């Protein structure tokens, strides 16, 4: 009895109902947490700090450089 | 609402007009809720942060060997090997440290748009215009095609693929507008994900512990977040004005960024359920094709059709610097697993490793 338009519309509404149930946070809280994460992991972020870890950065070792 | 067996009429709730009305009402309520929670801009909050020191990344390796446009790349977990695929049908496994080619696979198709390294590093997966994603066992043998197995079968091209946290399952995205989860051993379809209205161009697994969700981006301008167990779309995000080419989760797993043909990238937060930052400039008019975050998530690397790579401050939304070197479009870009290097692939047939 249901046409494909019916089914498609029903799916859309079901999807929206699901989305309505999602618990949302304020952007201010989310922004704070993102900042916290970045700060906590900044030291280990070699591309950011430019400081190599204990093992150094093998891509920077002169002996295995093969550019050109 | 129960209806008696003899009553053939459709319950009121299920008629098209009432469903349409309910959809409109729900959409309005969702928008209202998102508006209320949008109490501040991320970039404004982040403006209080100190600016980052100058970023200096130089090209350390140029990987030459493909004879066609490089379309995809994936690092191995050992952060020195990588697999790359190209328009000319070749898939190459490299040792990026020593700049040597360890394996070369000739696919029976051109435009190999997807390639992925298995977590164990003992095999690679690739696919493209053949509408499949096949796995190849890596071994010392000359001809790896004898160890090939087709895993995924779509009804249009395969645009992206990734292993889950083990060698046993692969997730694919396709031009047939679906994503699918496959068992590698049997080739069985475990779950399919329907929801996009056009080609799926990029997928990314959530880095969170549970890892039960992934995000997909498509030519319908939408990014959809999926529950892998149920196959359902749990959240949807709009905002872009053209095709999405790539999606990537922030290392924290709470947000993801998208790269689009509309020349912008956007950051969407799962918990705020909305777009929280946009990375664009009037001077950037070419499509963004690929993106990845640095280890802390503070930097966002983006490859463009204008041959450049832009590095953005994820929080402040400002561009930090640009990387030049490729002589054609940058098509793919990935940060190494330990965050010490960035690799970019291009239509100029080469890949570059920056550190």
């Amino acid at each position: 009895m249901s046409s494909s338009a019916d089914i498609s519309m029903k799916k859309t509404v079901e999807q929206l109902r699901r989305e309505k149930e999602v618990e949302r946070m304020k952007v201010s809280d989310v922004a704070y947490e993102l900042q916290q994460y970045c700060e906590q992991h900044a030291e280990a972020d070699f591309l950011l700090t430019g400081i190599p870890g204990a093992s150094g950065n093998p891509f920077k070792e002169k002996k295995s450089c093969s550019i050109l | 609402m129960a209806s008696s067996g003899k009553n053939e009429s459709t319950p009121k709730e299920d008629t098209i007009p009432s469903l349409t009305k309910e959809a409109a009402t729900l959409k309005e309520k969702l928008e209202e809720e998102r508006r209320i929670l949008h109490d501040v801009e991320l970039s404004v909050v982040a403006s209080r942060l100190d600016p980052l020191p100058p970023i200096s990344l130089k090209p350390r390796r140029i990987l030459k060997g493909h004879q066609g446009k490089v379309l995809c790349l994936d690092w191995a977990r050992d952060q020195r090997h990588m697999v790359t695929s190209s328009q000319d049908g070749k898939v190459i496994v490299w040792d990026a440290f020593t700049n040597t080619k360890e394996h070369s696979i000739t696919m029976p198709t051109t435009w190999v748009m997807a390639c992925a390294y298995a977590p164990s590093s003992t095999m690679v997966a690739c696919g493209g215009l053949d509408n499949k994603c096949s796995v190849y066992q890596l071994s010392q043998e000359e001809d790896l095609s004898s160890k090939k197995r087709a895993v995924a079968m779509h009804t249009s091209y395969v645009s992206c693929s990734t292993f889950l946290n083990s060698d046993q399952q692969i997730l694919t995205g396709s031009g047939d507008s679906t994503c699918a989860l496959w068992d590698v051993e049997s080739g069985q379809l475990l779950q399919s994900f329907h929801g996009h209205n056009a080609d799926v161009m990029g997928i990314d697994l959530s880095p969170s512990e549970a890892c039960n969700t992934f995000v997909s981006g498509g030519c319908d301008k939408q990014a959809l977040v999926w529950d892998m167990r149920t196959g359902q779309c749990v959240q949807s995000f709009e905002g872009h004005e053209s095709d999405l080419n790539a999606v990537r989760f922030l290392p924290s797993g709470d947000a993801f960024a998208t790269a689009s043909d509309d020349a912008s990238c956007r950051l969407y937060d799962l918990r705020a359920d909305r777009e929280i930052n946009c990375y664009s400039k009037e001077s950037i008019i070419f499509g963004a094709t690929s993106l990845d975050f640095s280890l802390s998530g503070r930097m966002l690397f983006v490859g463009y059709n204008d041959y450049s790579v832009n590095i953005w401050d994820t929080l402040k939304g400002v561009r930090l610097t640009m990387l030049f070197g490729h002589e054609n479009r940058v098509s793919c870009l990935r940060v190494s697993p330990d965050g010490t290097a960035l690799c970019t692939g291009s239509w100029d047939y080469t890949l570059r490793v920056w550190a």
Side-chain angles (χ1 to χ4, degrees):
Chain A
M1 179 131 183
S2 314
S3 65
S4 68
D6 262 356
I7 295 173
S8 164
M9 199 59 215
K10 239 193 145 174
K11 280 198 175 146
T12 305
V13 170
E14 275 163 13
Q15 175 64 31
L16 287 168
R17 282 179 192 157
R18 268 198 297 272
E19 289 187 19
K20 183 82 182 52
E21 295 308 305
V22 170
E23 289 223 6
R24 290 174 185 78
M25 280 173 66
K26 287 191 288 185
V27 176
S28 51
D29 292 334
V30 143
Y32 175 75
E33 290 198 13
L34 283 177
Q35 253 178 239
Q36 286 295 100
Y37 186 92
C38 289
E39 264 164 49
Q40 277 157 19
H41 294 83
E43 227 181 277
D45 188 344
F46 169 73
L47 288 172
L48 184 65
T49 61
I51 300 165
S55 49
N57 186 338
F59 286 108
K60 279 180 161 176
E61 277 167 19
K62 292 201 173 90
K63 64 176 192 257
S64 53
C65 174
S66 51
I67 298 175
L68 307 173
Chain B
M1 169 164 135
S3 48
S4 75
K6 288 182 189 165
N7 188 347
E8 293 288 350
S9 65
T10 318
K12 274 198 178 148
E13 285 84 29
D14 281 1
T15 57
I16 288 260
S18 71
L19 283 175
T20 310
K21 191 163 176 235
E22 189 183 349
T25 312
L26 283 168
K27 275 188 193 165
E28 245 180 67
K29 285 190 179 162
L30 282 167
E31 279 317 306
E32 180 62 27
E33 208 183 304
R34 287 179 183 133
R35 248 198 308 273
I36 293 170
L37 294 170
H38 188 197
D39 55 347
V40 78
E41 292 292 341
L42 170 62
S43 49
V44 167
V45 168
S47 62
R48 297 180 219 136
L49 291 171
D50 289 334
L52 291 174
I55 311 294
S56 165
L57 291 184
K58 298 187 175 64
R60 306 289 174 176
R61 300 285 188 279
I62 300 181
L63 306 182
K64 293 187 181 178
H66 276 295
Q67 273 145 19
K69 302 170 168 135
V70 176
L71 302 175
C72 188
L73 81 98
D74 192 24
W75 289 89
R77 285 192 177 181
D78 66 2
Q79 26 248 357
R80 66 183 284 168
H81 288 90
M82 67 172 73
V83 61
T84 63
S85 63
S86 157
Q87 174 209 12
D88 69 353
K90 290 274 200 311
V91 173
I92 300 179
V93 175
W94 310 76
D95 176 345
F97 282 6
T98 56
N99 202 340
T100 49
K101 300 179 218 3
E102 295 197 346
H103 302 279
S104 179
I105 297 167
T106 305
M107 290 279 282
T109 178
T110 55
W111 289 91
V112 187
M113 289 168 255
C115 64
Y117 226 117
S120 69
S121 298
T122 60
M123 55 182 170
V124 294
C126 42
L129 279 189
D130 57 353
N131 298 0
K132 298 184 196 156
C133 187
S134 308
V135 298
Y136 290 81
Q137 290 285 345
L138 297 178
S139 67
Q140 292 312 310
E141 283 172 34
E142 275 295 312
D143 179 24
L144 294 179
S145 308
S146 57
K147 296 263 175 66
K148 169 186 173 175
R149 189 172 53 237
V151 172
M153 312 271 204
H154 279 277
T155 54
S156 185
Y157 65 90
V158 170
S159 58
C160 44
S161 67
T162 180
F163 282 86
L164 261 55
N165 286 332
S166 76
D167 284 12
Q168 278 142 20
Q169 292 176 358
I170 284 184
L171 187 67
T172 52
S174 167
D176 67 14
S177 81
T178 72
C179 300
L181 183 65
W182 310 84
D183 178 86
V184 172
E185 186 64 43
S186 63
Q188 196 195 345
L189 172 66
L190 299 171
Q191 188 65 262
S192 71
F193 306 90
H194 295 257
H196 279 289
N197 299 317
D199 309 25
V200 174
M201 297 306 292
I203 53 177
D204 194 31
L205 293 172
S206 167
S208 306
E209 290 282 313
C211 191
N212 283 317
T213 58
F214 73 95
V215 61
S216 62
C219 293
D220 57 358
K221 312 179 200 170
Q222 287 189 94
L224 303 179
V225 178
W226 306 88
D227 181 326
M228 271 198 277
R229 294 159 301 185
T230 62
Q232 275 177 0
C233 169
V234 295
Q235 281 175 276
S236 64
F237 298 88
E238 290 175 341
H240 276 294
E241 293 161 14
S242 186
D243 301 359
L244 267 60
N245 292 316
V247 291
R248 204 82 176 120
F249 268 99
L250 252 182
S252 67
D254 295 321
F256 65 89
T258 51
S260 165
D261 272 353
D262 69 7
S264 77
C265 293
R266 287 162 208 252
L267 185 68
Y268 295 93
D269 189 281
L270 296 181
R271 298 155 309 167
D273 191 37
R274 63 167 302 118
E275 177 186 318
I276 56 171
N277 222 345
C278 181
Y279 311 95
S280 66
K281 274 173 108 69
E282 266 187 43
S283 53
I284 301 176
I285 56 173
F286 286 85
T289 61
S290 47
L291 79 185
D292 203 354
F293 287 100
S294 69
L295 202 79
S296 68
R298 184 62 192 271
M299 294 196 293
L300 175 63
F301 303 97
V302 184
Y304 293 82
N305 282 337
D306 67 1
Y307 314 176
S308 74
V309 173
N310 286 8
I311 307 181
W312 299 84
D313 182 319
T314 306
L315 302 177
K316 288 178 180 277
V318 297
R319 181 170 64 187
L320 297 168
T321 187
M322 300 170 75
L323 299 178
F324 297 104
H326 279 296
E327 293 164 10
N328 207 319
R329 298 185 181 190
V330 175
S331 55
C332 49
L333 178 161
R334 287 295 263 268
V335 171
S336 67
D338 64 353
T340 56
L342 169 72
C343 185
T344 53
S346 164
W347 280 17
D348 70 6
Y349 302 7
T350 73
L351 294 113
R352 274 154 218 256
V353 180
W354 313 75

